[in-house]
Amino acid sequence: MKETNKTGTRFISCVLAVMMVVTTLTGIFPATVSAVTESDVGSEMWDNIYLDALAYTGYDVQAQKTNGDLFDTYASGATAYNTQRDASIYIKYGSGASGTETVSDSSTKTGYAPDLASFRSGGLVCASFVTYVLYNYLKNIKGIDVANDWGWTMPSGTKSPVSYYEMATTVWAKTENTTVITGYSQSVRNTSDYTKGCTFTATEDIPIGAIIFFNEVSDYSTLTLESSPAHIAIYAGEYNGKHFIIHVGNTRGPEITTIEGMSMANSADGKTGTPELVTYIIAYEAPEDEYGEIVVNKTDENGSALAGAVFTATNTSTGDTYTIGPTDSSGYAENRTIPYGTYTVTETTFPTGYTVKDSGDPWTVTVSSSTPHGDDKRVEYGNEKPCDSQTGRGRRRWKQQNEVEETHKKAGRRPAFLLD
């Protein structure tokens, strides 16, 4: 009888131990939810230049899209952290880099690219990460000159939220197409337990890419804030009642979290151990007709994708040129920052094993709000495979379309497409 009691006791102890482990893990890992897809959040939140900038740092955005946890949240309010980050390309938290560092790169729009090695070595803080996105990545990789095109002068203190705040309130707020967002409110989530953080409610649309300023909470009972901004982040959109941001605020480096997570007292969800609340939001909204998009699909006569082709779009009025390509393994290449206008598009680099047969079959396309939903066209490229009579010429199909991507407006893109 005594032995039976011991067995029962051991069994109960094991059950309790398992329950304790499960309880502990529940606090670490997000609750089981359905995978978040593009249809859940919309194409603007799912695919934009700011997520592209995050991915460029080495944060595996695509892996989390595939897993469905890019915009998942922990019970405490922060996003599911990117556990698939490659340690060899990890950018740490640190003030060694300014965010403006570049290296020569002939493949980019300016001939320069962000110096990721400097970021990995010196680290980035919240403000220098914003500097990297606005004045380095967008300019050199996307061809968007924020200082000149938007009128958003870069602050002298590229690592200082205070310097950014002073520039935003005195210069940016007065520029064309810039909006200061005031339609939001915050309240303590649980008045008896301030560690539960605050709720954030927006009564006004906040554009993707808006700059969010936070102040530290000095007194949670009254929500009294420190006088100077302590943190800066980039707005990433709203889903399932949570407002997401892209930022650097802790040892994890660049990541996605939530505004609500930033207000968690004694929490590592946002800026480690420092609860903060939103105090200022400013956004640039590109005019609807500022940028378009050209997408090319390169195939052979049998419809098989051809990789490695590069195209040049030349504006017939200004002579400005824009590179499209090289095409990927699916035969696609795109440029998302084509100013509206009429372009002559020419294939300038041919797929491996192919050569030009004639002049390269240039074609003309107009990227404009006045030409939505253009007719499909199929024109053969002037390519051939030398000494291979069985291989025909490549071909392209294209469509102009500028009204179908409504959600790109706030991401700085109003595209017109050339599609298969």
Side-chain angles (χ1 to χ4, degrees):
M1 190 68 179
K2 291 182 179 179
E3 185 64 31
T4 303
N5 286 340
K6 288 181 180 179
T7 303
T9 301
R10 291 193 189 106
F11 176 76
I12 293 173
S13 298
C14 289
V15 171
L16 290 175
V18 171
M19 291 176 63
M20 291 175 65
V21 170
V22 171
T23 302
T24 302
L25 292 177
T26 301
I28 297 175
F29 296 103
T32 301
V33 295
S34 300
V36 180
T37 66
E38 181 176 1
S39 62
D40 295 320
V41 301
S43 58
E44 177 190 6
M45 188 170 172
W46 190 258
D47 180 19
N48 58 70
I49 55 179
Y50 304 101
L51 279 181
D52 291 346
L54 177 63
Y56 195 86
T57 68
Y59 189 105
D60 202 339
V61 171
Q62 186 55 52
Q64 287 198 283
K65 286 182 176 180
T66 301
N67 292 341
D69 62 5
L70 184 63
F71 297 109
D72 194 6
T73 58
Y74 284 106
S76 56
T79 188
Y81 309 131
N82 187 7
T83 58
Q84 302 183 52
R85 183 185 286 113
D86 186 341
S88 67
I89 57 175
Y90 170 70
I91 295 178
K92 64 183 181 180
Y93 180 89
S95 59
S98 68
T100 61
E101 291 84 357
T102 58
V103 294
S104 297
D105 188 335
S106 60
S107 69
T108 69
K109 299 181 181 300
T110 62
Y112 295 93
D115 186 358
L116 298 179
S118 292
F119 301 161
R120 292 168 191 145
S121 174
L124 293 174
V125 293
C126 62
S128 55
F129 176 76
V130 172
T131 299
Y132 147 72
V133 174
L134 293 184
Y135 301 102
N136 196 334
Y137 178 83
L138 291 187
K139 179 178 181 179
N140 294 306
I141 304 302
K142 295 297 186 181
I144 302 173
D145 191 333
V146 169
N148 292 320
D149 297 346
W150 298 6
W152 280 24
T153 304
M154 184 173 69
S156 57
T158 60
K159 296 184 275 188
S160 168
V162 174
S163 185
Y164 262 95
Y165 180 76
E166 292 173 350
M167 182 61 70
T169 55
T170 60
V171 177
W172 297 357
K174 300 177 182 179
T175 61
E176 188 177 7
N177 303 315
T178 295
T179 303
V180 176
I181 308 298
T182 58
Y184 64 89
S185 62
Q186 299 167 107
S187 60
V188 176
R189 183 177 286 119
N190 187 328
T191 57
S192 62
D193 184 359
Y194 298 132
T195 65
K196 299 297 184 183
C198 290
T199 60
F200 178 88
T201 303
T203 57
E204 180 180 353
D205 287 341
I206 304 176
I208 302 293
I211 304 302
I212 313 288
F213 290 89
F214 297 82
N215 284 30
E216 294 181 1
V217 180
S218 60
D219 186 345
Y220 242 98
S221 63
T222 60
L223 293 187
T224 300
L225 302 175
E226 299 291 343
S227 59
S228 298
H231 195 68
I232 183 173
I234 298 172
Y235 189 70
E238 178 186 4
Y239 170 67
N240 201 24
K242 299 292 184 183
H243 294 265
F244 291 85
I245 56 173
I246 304 171
H247 81 140
V248 173
N250 49 57
T251 56
R252 292 186 298 271
E255 65 173 2
I256 302 179
T257 187
T258 61
I259 288 177
E260 292 82 357
M262 292 289 292
S263 69
M264 299 295 293
N266 301 316
S267 170
D269 292 337
K271 184 169 170 53
T272 304
T274 308
E276 300 183 2
L277 295 179
V278 174
T279 55
Y280 192 75
I281 305 175
I282 189 168
Y284 177 84
E285 296 188 76
E288 294 182 6
D289 59 352
E290 185 165 351
Y291 294 108
E293 179 171 279
I294 295 178
V295 181
V296 175
N297 177 215
K298 176 73 173 179
T299 63
D300 64 17
E301 67 171 1
N302 299 313
S304 298
L306 292 176
V310 178
F311 300 82
T312 298
T314 303
N315 188 294
T316 58
S317 296
T318 66
D320 291 340
T321 60
Y322 301 85
T323 300
I324 309 165
T327 53
D328 59 20
S329 59
S330 298
Y332 281 89
E334 63 181 26
N335 187 321
R336 294 180 172 181
T337 54
I338 303 290
Y340 274 21
T342 299
Y343 294 85
T344 298
V345 183
T346 305
E347 186 176 12
T348 51
T349 300
F350 309 106
T352 301
Y354 285 78
T355 186
V356 64
K357 179 171 179 156
D358 44 42
S359 62
D361 288 346
W363 76 93
T364 300
V365 58
T366 298
V367 183
S368 170
S369 60
S370 64
T371 56
H373 307 294
D375 295 332
D376 287 337
K377 292 186 180 182
R378 178 178 295 189
V379 181
E380 292 184 346
Y381 289 132
N383 295 161
E384 67 176 357
K385 260 193 174 180
C387 304
D388 185 356
S389 61
Q390 302 302 312
T391 302
R393 294 158 62 188
R395 63 173 179 260
R396 62 176 166 79
R397 292 185 296 165
W398 62 277
K399 177 191 287 185
Q400 297 178 50
Q401 182 176 342
N402 79 308
E403 300 293 339
V404 299
E405 285 287 330
E406 182 71 14
T407 57
H408 282 77
K409 288 194 294 184
K410 294 179 181 178
R413 308 198 304 247
R414 180 72 171 172
F417 288 90
L418 277 84
L419 292 173
D420 185 28

